[in-house]
């Protein structure tokens, strides 16, 4: 069986020399943050900076942490993102699974990995795992951890302080437990219908094409849908994207065949 690692390539780790802490970072006050541009500024400014950079390219990364941290146990890999038109660095399988979840949401315009480091009351620095920018301009921060870690007193205190700061600066803050994400088998199935060879694709064009050929609640054979989409100059690969986004229901453990029945669920 294919693994997630084979679908989402891994970067090699290498040791990086120790760096002396920057004086301006050490002098940060609660509510201030280190942005992706290396500037110490307000938390909201740091969050917007990462989305204001130039258009993403393949092999382009955004975030405040070094990819080659050299820490033991860190397995840093990349997730090829259609929404961002580039690669998102992840520190393990749960963060990659979270990327798959974000890619399926039609409310998100962009997202970034480890976009900023904020100073919490008490002096601690904290870096959220993800930041998302909605089509409505809303920014949300996410922390992805196991339930056991989320329940520990020290982490609870840190995340509560981070949430209060984020809310104070007009941003949402969310904790995502590992058991809320797709497990490894489900993630492999989703990734099969998401592979980067299908880039680029247009979510809105996909929904419009589906609306013309299949209503919600109706079923159609894969071959019939392919023919209908071709007649409307829509690529057949849109059917796989519709399955990934949850518009068409199909058991992703099985191969799509001409007679496979697909149900439109949304």
């Amino acid at each position: 069986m294919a693994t997630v690692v084979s679908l989402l390539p891994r970067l090699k780790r290498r040791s990086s020399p120790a760096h002396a802490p920057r004086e301006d970072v050490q002098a940060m006050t609660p509510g201030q943050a280190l942005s992706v541009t290396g500037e110490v500024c307000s938390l909201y400014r740091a969050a917007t900076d990462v989305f204001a950079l130039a258009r993403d390219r393949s092999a382009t990364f955004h975030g405040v942490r070094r990819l080659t941290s050299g820490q033991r146990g860190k397995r840093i890999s990349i997730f090829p993102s259609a929404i961002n038109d580039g690669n998102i660095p992840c520190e393990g399988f749960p963060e990659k699974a979270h990327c798959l979840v974000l890619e399926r949401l039609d409310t998100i315009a962009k997202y970034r990995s480890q976009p900023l480091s904020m100073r919490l009351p008490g002096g601690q620095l904290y870096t959220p795992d993800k930041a998302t920018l909605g089509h409505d301009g809303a920014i949300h921060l996410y922390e992805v951890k196991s339930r056991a870690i989320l329940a520990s007193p020290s982490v609870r205190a840190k995340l509560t302080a981070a949430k209060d700061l984020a809310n104070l600066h007009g941003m949402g803050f969310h904790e995502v437990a590992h058991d809320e994400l797709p497990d490894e088998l489900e993630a492999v199935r989703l990734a099969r219908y998401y592979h980067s060879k299908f880039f680029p694709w247009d979510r809105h064009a996909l929904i419009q094409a589906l609306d013309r050929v299949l209503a919600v609640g109706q079923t159609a054979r894969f071959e019939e849908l392919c023919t209908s989409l071709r007649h409307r100059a829509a690529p057949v690969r849109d059917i796989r994207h519709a399955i990934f986004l949850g518009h068409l229901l199909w058991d992703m453990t099985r191969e799509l065949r001409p007679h496979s029945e697909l149900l439109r669920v949304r």
Side-chain angles (χ1 to χ4, degrees), residues 117-128:
S117 289
M118 68 175 76
R119 178 71 72 186
L120 302 178
Q124 189 175 14
L125 275 176
Y126 166 68
T127 303

Side-chain angles (χ1 to χ4, degrees), residues 191-210:
R192 289 177 59 193
Y193 291 85
Y194 177 80
H195 199 275
S196 59
K197 71 180 181 180
F198 294 128
F199 290 6
W201 52 280
D202 188 324
R203 184 190 302 261
H204 300 292
L206 161 62
I207 297 174
Q208 290 175 359
L210 274 179

Side-chain angles (χ1 to χ4, degrees), residues 5-95:
V5 174
S6 66
L7 292 168
L8 307 174
R10 182 183 301 170
L11 293 179
K12 294 182 179 179
R13 292 189 296 110
R14 65 178 183 271
S15 298
S16 57
H19 293 274
R22 288 171 39 179
E23 293 183 3
D24 55 347
V25 173
Q26 293 299 308
M28 284 167 53
T29 60
Q32 287 189 316
L34 177 66
S35 77
V36 71
T37 60
E39 180 183 358
V40 173
C41 54
S42 70
L43 178 55
Y44 186 80
R45 166 74 182 281
T48 55
D49 275 355
V50 72
F51 295 112
L53 295 177
R55 180 176 180 269
D56 292 342
R57 302 289 183 183
S58 180
T60 296
F61 306 96
H62 296 301
V64 296
R65 285 187 178 175
R66 296 177 180 272
L67 284 176
T68 54
S69 62
Q71 299 178 28
R72 286 185 178 275
K74 291 289 186 182
R75 307 177 96 185
I76 301 176
S77 56
I78 59 174
F79 179 87
S81 168
I83 291 180
N84 298 289
D85 192 19
N87 293 324
I88 297 295
C90 301
E91 288 186 339
F93 168 75
E95 289 191 21

Side-chain angles (χ1 to χ4, degrees), residues 172-200:
F173 188 91
H174 310 273
E175 300 171 16
V176 181
H178 289 177
D179 58 15
E180 298 176 35
L181 299 169
D183 59 26
E184 187 168 354
L185 179 58
E186 185 181 358
V188 169
R189 296 171 183 171
L190 287 172
R192 289 177 59 193
Y193 291 85
Y194 177 80
H195 199 275
S196 59
K197 71 180 181 180
F198 294 128
F199 290 6

Side-chain angles (χ1 to χ4, degrees), residues 211-234:
D211 288 341
R212 295 189 183 100
V213 300
L214 194 66
V216 174
Q218 290 183 336
T219 60
R221 292 185 176 181
F222 176 63
E223 185 177 38
E224 296 172 352
L225 275 178
C226 289
T227 302
S228 299
L229 287 174
R230 285 195 192 99
H231 288 165
R232 288 161 176 80

